[in-house]
Structure formats: C-alpha cells, structure tokens
Amino acid sequence: MPTSDSEDDTPSSSNQKETEGTKILLADPKTAILRLSLPMMVAMTLMTLYNVVDAFWVSGLGADALAAVGFSFPLFIITIGLASGLGTGGEAALARTIGARDRAGASSVAMHTILLMTVLAVVVTIPLFLFAQDIFVLMGAGDAVGLATEYARILFLGTFALLFGEVAYALMHGEGDAKRTMYAMAAGAVANIILDPILIYGLDMGIAGAAWATILAEVIAAVPMAYWLFVKRDTYIALCFRKFRPDTAVVRNVLQVGLPAAAEQLALALMALILNGVIVLIASTDGVAVYSVGWRVVSIGLTPILAISSAVVAVTGATYGARAYARMETALRFAARLGLGIGIGLAAATFVFAPGIAAFFTVGEAAGIAPELTTYLRVMSLVYPMVGFGLFSASFFQGTGLGTRSLTITILQNVVLSILFAWIFAAGLGLGLSGIWWGVAAGNAIGAALGYAWARRYSAGLQIRQAAPTAA
C-alpha cells in the first residue's frame, strides 16, 4: 500500500501520530458522537439558512428566475449527491484505517479519494456545461431555458470547488476534526448570504449573480481546508502527490461505500418523483406543492439527527477498524437513544406549532394549502422519534464498509415501504391525500425499525465471533 508519511511529508512522520481529532475517535464512543455531531449541527443549520436566504433573493427576480433555479436544482443535487457519496466512502475508509492505527493507509485513502474526486469533477462538468441548454429544453423549461442555462453553466464552472469541499469536509470529519470542518462550512454559508444581495442587486448581475455568489462561497469554504491539508499539514493524514502510487484495493475500499452512498441520493430523488405521481393520481397538483414545501420543513427539523448520523459513520469506522466491537455497538445504541430524545422533542414542537409553521411557508396565493400542510407536518412529526434508528443504522453499515446494506435500508425505507403504504392508505383505505402522509410515515417508521434490528444483529454477531477464540 502506498505511503505518504516520510520525513519529507510532515514534521511529525511517525505512523502512530495522533491529533486531537483521532484521540476523540479512539476514546469513549459516546463522547465522540457528541463532539463530532454538535459542530456539524451548527454548520448544517447555517447551510439550511443560506438555502432559505438564497431562495428569498432569487424570488425577487421574478417567476422565470425561480423556474430557472428550479430546473437547475436536480442537476445540482445529482452532482452534490455524487460528491457526498464519494466523501462518505472516503470518510468511512479513513476512519477504519485510523482505528487500525495505520497512518500510511489513512493517507493513501485520502489521496485516492481526492484524485477520484478530480476525475468525477471532469466527468461531470464537461458534459453538463456543454449540453446544459439541450438538457433544459428536454426538461421542458420553456421560457426559462435561457436563464436556466446561464445559471447552470456558471455553477458548473465551480464544480471542482464544490466537489473538493464535499470530499475535504468528509475526510477531515473522518479523522475527527469536526470543529475546523464547521468553521469552513460556516464561512461558505455566511459568505453566500452576504454575496447574494451584493451580486444580484448591488452589481445588477441578476441570476448570474446568484450563481457567482454560490461559486465564490464554495471557494471561500474550500481554501482553508486546502491550507490545512496541503500547506499547514497538521492533520493525521499526510498528503504527498509526489510519492503517490495508485492502489486498486484502496479504490475498492472507498467505492464499496461511496457508490452505494451516491445511489442512496438518487434513490431519494426517485422516491420523490414516484410519490409526486401518486399524489397527482390520488389528489391534485396542490398536493405536490404541499409535499414539496412540507419536505423542506421536515428536512430543516431533522438537521440535528442528520448531524448525528454523520458522526456515526466516523465513530463506527474507527471502532470497527480497531476491532473494538463492543464500543462500536455502544456508539450505535447511544446515537439511537440520543436521536430518540431529540426526535420526541422535535415531534412535540412540530405538532403544537404546525399551524404557525404552515402559515409562515404559505403566504399570498399559496395560503390555500396551509390546512393540508398542517396535516402533513403533524403526521410526519409522529415519525420523528423513529427517523434516527434508520439513519444511524445506515451510517453504521457505511462505517463498517457495508455500503450495500446501507443502500438496502434507504431503498426499503424510503422507496419500497413508503410508496407501498402510501398507496394502501390513500387508495386501498380511501384516506385520500392524508392517507399518503400516513403511508409515508408508516413506511419510514417500519423501515427504520427493521434497519436498526439488522444493525444490532450484525454487531452482536461480530462480538460473538470475536469472543469465540477466547472461550475456546
């Protein structure tokens, strides 16, 4: 396996070098979960805020501008999904090598992940940039084709910064460096919030200004991470392109989680498309609007649980690499209890304040969907306590390198069971639109429970096999 930790690479080249982050990963799993997830909660909250503010400023440009952003959004989400999947694969593989106290292996994983990211950036950017207009014509963008093409082509110019940011976030998080990851993500989000009105309206750049604000924010977030990784070099991983040698085994190690993780993002998009079709068949396009707005609200509410799931990947990977299977199960069980408590609090708050939340997100002509949105929020809030069990189980399998099992849980929970129960409740039981919400909630809850049972069974099996030689 290629190594990068020589006297030329870093002042402290010992294969046993530890940083504050790796000490966190290799210590108490409960503490590690908390110390990794709290900074991510802050960063993800700021990212969510930036998305809301961005939509607000673009809305001032008119309906065509909003439509242009809307048509560009799926392409952007696919790109982010691929980068996020690759980053998750790198994070999980990195954490496992850290757990095994193999600094050379960790550095090799990081180098391979960054180079895979570079290849992905080229493969994604060139065709999307060249054929953006044709793609939007095929999507039926109509009068918004011109604006959508202008917006998307500028965004694609920043693909490398976007992908590097996603991968660097994951690698630094994978070695337990959550605080600096938070600083970089927060810097990008705040920069975008500040730049949006300046470029869109102050410099009269219109929708192009929104795109350039996003690119500049991505660069601002990427620069400090590039400095920490390649210049200051105070991370556990030691990156050296000069000494790099490709290793197919390392590539497989990254992609065995990275590819299924990317596929999970596509599966979620597929679920949304199918569910939109079911909603139109059962109710009307107003139901699609309810689902679209409602899911955004739910995503905001679930930010703390998503942050914990990110921490589970790193902590599980480190404990698995160290063959500390009892501590690995402790991490999963602690995350599940933490998620349950947060979920109950979120559920209670959402259920009580659902009418006010619905009114806030349905002003003007959209006010007519407020009652149904209230129903949606209240039904979905009931599943909040269970959401973590599914997310953490998927992250658990990612950490152990079993990416296909994580993908299976996501598909079972969000595609198979949610769609099946939505149809049964809405059409079979005649509950109409509210039946769809109950079906989605039931599918998510049951899928989460099955996923958690699967993860616990796998963990128990590892501990039994580890104890067997000792008993003999």
Side-chain angles (χ1 to χ4, degrees):
M1 182 173 289
T3 64
S4 301
D5 51 330
S6 68
E7 293 296 334
D8 295 329
D9 296 334
T10 178
S12 179
S13 60
S14 169
N15 204 41
Q16 301 303 316
K17 173 186 176 181
E18 286 191 349
T19 62
E20 181 183 353
T22 56
K23 289 177 182 177
I24 292 172
L25 280 179
L26 298 173
D28 177 52
K30 297 178 182 179
T31 302
I33 291 287
L34 290 174
R35 294 188 65 176
L36 289 181
S37 59
L38 290 174
M40 287 303 292
M41 289 181 193
V42 175
M44 292 173 71
T45 299
L46 285 172
M47 293 295 290
T48 300
L49 177 62
Y50 132 66
N51 285 322
V52 172
V53 172
D54 190 61
F56 171 79
W57 289 117
V58 172
S59 66
L61 297 173
D64 284 345
L66 277 174
V69 173
F71 280 107
S72 302
F73 190 67
L75 301 180
F76 198 52
I77 287 299
I78 290 173
T79 304
I80 292 176
L82 293 172
S84 177
L86 179 60
T88 300
E91 177 181 0
L94 175 62
R96 290 194 297 274
T97 55
I98 289 174
R101 299 182 183 276
D102 179 8
R103 187 181 176 219
S107 300
S108 179
V109 165
M111 283 296 302
H112 279 81
T113 305
I114 289 173
L115 291 174
L116 285 170
M117 175 275 300
T118 304
V119 172
L120 178 62
V122 173
V123 171
V124 169
T125 300
I126 294 176
L128 288 179
F129 184 87
L130 293 177
F131 301 109
Q133 183 171 350
D134 297 326
I135 293 172
F136 291 126
V137 170
L138 290 174
M139 291 174 69
D143 294 337
V145 166
L147 286 175
T149 302
E150 178 184 11
Y151 180 77
R153 280 182 170 164
I154 295 172
L155 281 184
F156 295 143
L157 290 175
T159 299
F160 183 84
L162 168 67
L163 298 188
F164 175 79
E166 290 287 334
V167 168
Y169 293 152
L171 292 177
M172 294 188 69
H173 196 259
E175 66 165 63
D177 197 344
K179 283 186 179 179
R180 290 198 295 186
T181 303
M182 175 190 69
Y183 297 148
M185 294 176 69
V190 172
N192 208 328
I193 291 171
I194 295 172
L195 289 171
D196 262 340
I198 294 174
L199 298 184
I200 295 172
Y201 299 104
L203 298 180
D204 198 26
M205 295 174 67
I207 197 169
W212 280 113
T214 299
I215 287 182
L216 291 173
E218 291 166 2
V219 172
I220 288 171
V223 165
M225 289 185 292
Y227 171 74
W228 294 324
L229 289 170
F230 295 105
V231 180
K232 191 174 183 182
R233 305 176 79 161
D234 60 347
T235 54
Y236 181 80
I237 52 178
L239 303 179
C240 180
F241 287 100
R242 179 170 53 83
K243 295 180 177 293
F244 173 75
R245 295 292 183 273
D247 188 330
T248 55
V250 179
V251 173
R252 285 196 302 271
N253 200 19
V254 173
L255 294 184
Q256 70 183 2
V257 170
L259 290 179
E264 287 181 38
Q265 303 299 317
L266 299 179
L268 293 174
L270 175 63
M271 184 270 286
L273 288 173
I274 295 175
L275 197 60
N276 281 344
V278 173
I279 291 171
V280 171
L281 286 174
I282 297 296
S284 66
T285 53
D286 281 351
V288 176
V290 171
Y291 174 64
S292 176
V293 175
W295 184 244
R296 284 196 186 96
V297 177
V298 169
S299 298
I300 294 171
L302 292 179
T303 295
I305 295 177
L306 291 171
I308 296 170
S309 72
S310 177
V312 170
V313 176
V315 177
T316 297
T319 49
Y320 181 82
R323 297 176 59 82
Y325 302 136
R327 288 197 291 122
M328 183 181 71
E329 182 170 356
T330 296
L332 176 63
R333 295 174 64 181
F334 176 72
R337 291 196 299 271
L338 186 61
L340 176 63
I342 293 174
I344 291 173
L346 288 171
T350 302
F351 194 91
V352 172
F353 297 110
I357 297 172
F360 179 81
F361 283 93
T362 55
V363 295
E365 295 181 2
I369 67 171
E372 189 60 44
L373 180 57
T374 299
T375 300
Y376 173 89
L377 294 174
R378 282 181 164 165
V379 171
M380 292 304 297
S381 72
L382 300 178
V383 80
Y384 282 1
M386 290 297 299
V387 168
F389 289 91
L391 287 174
F392 304 152
S393 300
S395 295
F396 172 89
F397 281 125
Q398 288 175 339
T400 58
L402 299 172
T404 53
R405 294 195 181 190
S406 173
L407 176 60
T408 300
I409 291 173
T410 299
I411 292 177
L412 177 67
Q413 182 178 0
N414 294 286
V415 180
V416 177
L417 293 178
S418 291
I419 301 300
L420 175 63
F421 281 109
W423 183 258
I424 290 174
F425 279 62
L429 300 180
L431 298 178
L433 191 57
S434 62
I436 295 178
W437 314 146
W438 281 107
V440 171
N444 270 274
I446 294 172
L450 292 174
Y452 185 68
W454 194 12
R456 289 290 304 277
R457 180 180 179 184
Y458 174 72
S459 178
L462 287 177
Q463 293 179 71
I464 291 171
R465 286 193 293 273
Q466 187 177 50
T470 304

